[in-house]
Amino acid sequence: MSYREEVINRVITENPRQPEFHQAVREVLESLGPVIDAHEDMYRRDAILERLTTPDRQIQFRVTWVDDTGHVRVNNGYRVQFNNAIGPYKGGLRLHPTVNRSVMRFLAFEQVFKNSLTGLPIGGAKGGSDFDPKGKSDREIMLFCQSFMSELYKYIGADVDVPAGDIGTGAREIGYMFGTYKRLTNLYTGVLTGKGLTFGGSLVRTEATGYGVLYILEELMKAHGNSVEGKTIAVSGSGNVATYTIEKAYQLGAKPVTCSDSTGWIYDPEGIDLALLKEIKEVRRGRLSAYKAEKPSAEYHEGTYSNGGVWSVKVDIALPCATQNELNLDAAKMLVSNGCIAVVEGANMPTTFEATKYLQGSNVLFIPGKAANAGGVATSALEMSQNSERLSWTFEEVDTRLQTIMKNIYAHISDAAKEYGCPDDFVAGANIAGFLKVSTAMKAQGLY
Ligand code: NDP
C-alpha cells in the first residue's frame, strides 16, 4: 500500500463519520502522487502527511443565548486551527445548521492549501456554529454573536488567528463579534476581517471572492485562446459569492442566466437582474421566489435540484457558488452534454469527487475552489495589512492587488500541473503548489 493510501485509511479510521473531511483529504492526497511517490521514504520518515492531515488543535464550545420569547437556546461553536506553518491561522466562520465537526475539518484543511496559494503569509483555520441565522431577529443575531465571541476570543488574536465571514456570517455578524472582542480584551486590532468600512474593513472585501472567480476564469480562458466575453454562464447560490460573481461576469461581457438558494432556483434567459437580486437578498433578506414575482419572464423552480437544477440549463460555463457537493455526477453529465467548456468553483468543494473526475475526463476545464475562490481570503489578508499599518487603501489599489493575486494563482497552479506531468489538471496543480510551500515551511521549522 502506498504511503498516501496508508494516510487516507488512517484519517478515515481515526475520524469516523466525517465524510466531508475524508473526501477533502482523499482528493488532495490522491493528486499529490507525482510529488510524494518519488520520495516516499523521506515523506514517510518525516510523517509529513500525518502532520498535514491532523489539525494543530480544534476547539468546540457551548454557545448559550436567549431568543425573543425568553427561551434559552444552546448551539455548538467550533474553531479548527489546522496549520500555521506559513502564517497566523486564517479562515471564515460559518453559521448554518449543517455545521458539524466533519464540515469544519474539511473546510479548515482546504483552507491551508488555499491560503498557501494566495502567496500571502496566512495559515489555515475554519470555525462556526450550527446556529441558523434564518428567520432570527437582529437582536437574536446579536445575542448569539456576543455569546459565540465570549468564548472564541480566548483563542484568537491579530497575530494568532484571524477569523472572517462565510455562509451566514456577513458584515453584520462580524460587527457584533468585533464589538464583543474589543469589549472583552480592550484591544482595537485586526482580529477579524470582513469588518465594516467605518471600523477597519477593506474596500473590495465584499466583492472579492466573486470578482476573484471571474479574474481567474478570464486567465483560464485567455490561456486557452478564449475569453469570458459573450459566454452564457450558470451560477448557483445567491449569497455573497454568487452575487459578485454575477456582477463581475456582466462587467466582463458575459451573461449569467441562473442563480439559486436553498429553496429554489431561477432561470432568466434575459440574464439575471442583478439590481433585483441584490434588493431581494441583501436588503430584504428574502427568498428567490420573490424574483419571479417581479420578473415574470424568468422561470422559478421550487426546490434547489427540481427539474435538474441550475446545471440543466444550456451554458458555456458553470460557476457553483452555493455550498459543498451541490454539483454531482448527474449534473456534470448534463453540463457536458450541453457543451459546457469550463467549471470554476466559487464555493468550497461544490463538485463531488465523481463529478470532478467526470468533468476532467470530458475535457471540461476545471478549477477547484481552493484556487478559484481564494480572492476572498487574499483580500482579507490585505485587510490585515491595512489594519497593521493603520491605513486604508483605495478601491482601485485593492482591486489591482486582487487581480494580480488571481493571475499569480492561475500561473502557479498551471505551472505546477505542467511541471508534474499533468498539464491542465488544475486540481493536481493547486494541491501540489499549495502542498510544496506548506510542507517546506513545516520541515524548516522542525517538529512541534
Ligand atoms: P452566503 O451565506 O452569502 O450564501 C450562500 C448561498 O448558498 C445562499 O444563496 C444559500 O441559500 C445557498 N445555499 C446554502 N446551502 C444551500 C444548499 N444546500 N442548496 C442550495 N443552496 C444553498 O455564503 P457565501 O456566498 O459567502 O459562501 C458560498 C460558498 O463560498 C461557501 O461554500 C463558502 O464557504 C464559500 N466561500 C465564501 C467566501 C466568502 O468570501 N464569502 C470565500 C471563499 C469561499 P439560502 O439563502 O437559502 O441559505
Side-chain angles (χ1 to χ4, degrees):
M1 192 186 291
S2 76
Y3 174 44
R4 289 180 297 122
E5 285 164 354
E6 269 173 38
V7 175
I8 292 172
N9 288 341
R10 181 179 189 270
V11 166
I12 292 171
T13 310
E14 288 191 353
N15 304 280
R17 296 181 301 284
Q18 298 195 13
E20 293 87 357
F21 182 46
H22 303 167
Q23 181 183 344
V25 168
R26 173 176 288 122
E27 186 234 81
V28 171
L29 266 52
E30 286 198 353
S31 65
L32 290 180
V35 182
I36 303 285
D37 295 356
H39 307 283
E40 208 182 67
D41 289 348
M42 180 189 79
Y43 284 113
R44 195 194 297 266
R45 186 197 61 212
D46 291 343
I48 287 290
L49 294 184
E50 290 89 333
R51 288 158 66 193
L52 199 70
T53 53
T54 306
D56 290 350
R57 72 187 60 76
Q58 61 180 40
I59 299 128
Q60 182 173 348
F61 50 96
R62 191 181 65 240
V63 187
T64 313
W65 54 282
V66 185
D67 69 19
D68 286 348
T69 65
H71 286 86
V72 175
R73 307 280 285 265
V74 178
N75 287 101
N76 291 299
Y78 302 89
R79 188 71 180 164
V80 181
Q81 296 176 332
F82 219 107
N83 188 303
N84 67 352
I86 63 171
Y89 302 107
K90 178 103 197 81
L93 297 171
R94 180 174 291 192
L95 303 182
H96 196 269
T98 55
V99 163
N100 57 36
R101 260 181 285 179
S102 174
V103 169
M104 289 288 99
R105 275 197 173 200
F106 117 67
L107 289 166
F109 178 71
E110 290 277 294
Q111 196 82 42
V112 175
F113 297 86
K114 181 190 307 193
N115 293 3
S116 168
L117 289 174
T118 64
L120 300 169
I122 38 179
K126 198 82 186 187
S129 171
D130 50 14
F131 171 77
D132 186 358
K134 264 198 214 99
K136 302 288 188 299
S137 70
D138 204 45
R139 181 190 157 279
E140 289 174 323
I141 298 274
M142 184 174 74
L143 289 186
F144 170 83
C145 291
Q146 289 174 336
S147 176
F148 183 79
M149 186 50 81
S150 71
E151 181 62 23
L152 186 67
Y153 88 98
K154 299 169 189 166
Y155 309 100
I156 61 176
D159 294 317
V160 181
D161 181 355
V162 182
D166 190 63
I167 290 180
T169 308
R172 173 181 58 168
E173 292 74 18
I174 292 289
Y176 293 147
M177 290 184 198
F178 183 73
T180 309
Y181 182 86
K182 203 179 55 159
R183 181 85 198 250
L184 291 169
T185 62
N186 207 24
L187 293 172
Y188 206 113
T189 61
V191 66
L192 289 162
T193 57
K195 298 185 292 296
L197 293 175
T198 53
F199 56 98
S202 174
L203 288 163
V204 193
R205 178 60 191 91
T206 303
E207 297 85 356
T209 307
Y211 279 20
V213 170
L214 264 295
Y215 291 148
I216 203 167
L217 173 63
E218 184 72 320
E219 288 303 299
L220 175 73
M221 290 287 115
K222 269 200 272 175
H224 293 81
N226 211 329
S227 149
V228 171
E229 195 178 355
K231 299 289 182 295
T232 304
I233 299 184
V235 175
S236 64
S238 51
N240 173 268
V241 180
T243 300
Y244 293 95
T245 290
I246 290 171
E247 183 165 291
K248 187 52 78 176
Y250 275 126
Q251 289 175 11
L252 295 183
K255 184 160 84 162
V257 291
T258 68
C259 62
S260 63
D261 64 17
S262 54
T263 49
W265 62 282
I266 292 283
Y267 170 50
D268 190 339
E270 293 174 1
I272 294 295
D273 184 330
L274 182 63
L276 178 58
L277 181 68
K278 283 187 179 180
E279 165 67 23
I280 292 169
K281 286 292 170 180
E282 293 182 350
V283 181
R284 295 187 225 157
R285 294 180 189 269
R287 313 308 306 159
L288 270 184
S289 43
Y291 186 101
K292 166 80 183 164
E294 291 177 45
K295 191 110 190 302
S297 61
E299 288 174 20
Y300 174 70
H301 300 268
E302 190 78 31
T304 311
Y305 305 108
S306 61
N307 303 321
V310 295
W311 314 126
S312 64
V313 175
K314 182 171 169 47
V315 290
D316 304 306
I317 294 167
L319 304 176
C321 297
T323 192
Q324 63 268 11
N325 292 328
E326 50 159 322
L327 197 167
N328 62 17
L329 185 57
D330 288 342
K333 286 181 177 169
M334 286 191 280
L335 287 171
V336 171
S337 70
N338 280 330
C340 174
I341 57 169
V343 174
V344 174
E345 295 185 325
N348 285 313
M349 211 169 72
T351 314
T352 65
F353 190 69
E354 296 73 26
T356 303
K357 294 277 172 216
Y358 182 82
L359 291 168
Q360 290 182 312
S362 308
N363 293 323
V364 174
L365 295 167
F366 179 87
I367 301 191
K370 62 170 74 76
N373 69 31
V377 73
T379 308
S380 276
L382 299 180
E383 182 174 330
M384 289 164 72
S385 300
Q386 293 170 75
N387 292 165
S388 296
E389 59 179 23
R390 306 252 189 267
L391 289 174
S392 300
W393 304 338
T394 63
F395 191 96
E396 289 68 30
E397 187 169 357
V398 181
D399 192 34
T400 304
R401 286 179 192 251
L402 172 63
Q403 289 182 46
T404 306
I405 288 167
M406 298 314 295
K407 279 184 187 176
N408 288 342
I409 292 176
Y410 180 76
H412 280 135
I413 65 175
S414 173
D415 290 351
K418 275 187 210 134
E419 187 182 338
Y420 285 90
C422 40
D424 280 355
D425 181 345
F426 303 106
V427 173
N431 289 333
I432 290 169
F435 168 79
L436 288 173
K437 182 171 178 187
V438 173
S439 61
T440 304
M442 284 166 70
K443 279 197 266 183
Q445 293 170 34
L447 294 180
Y448 60 88

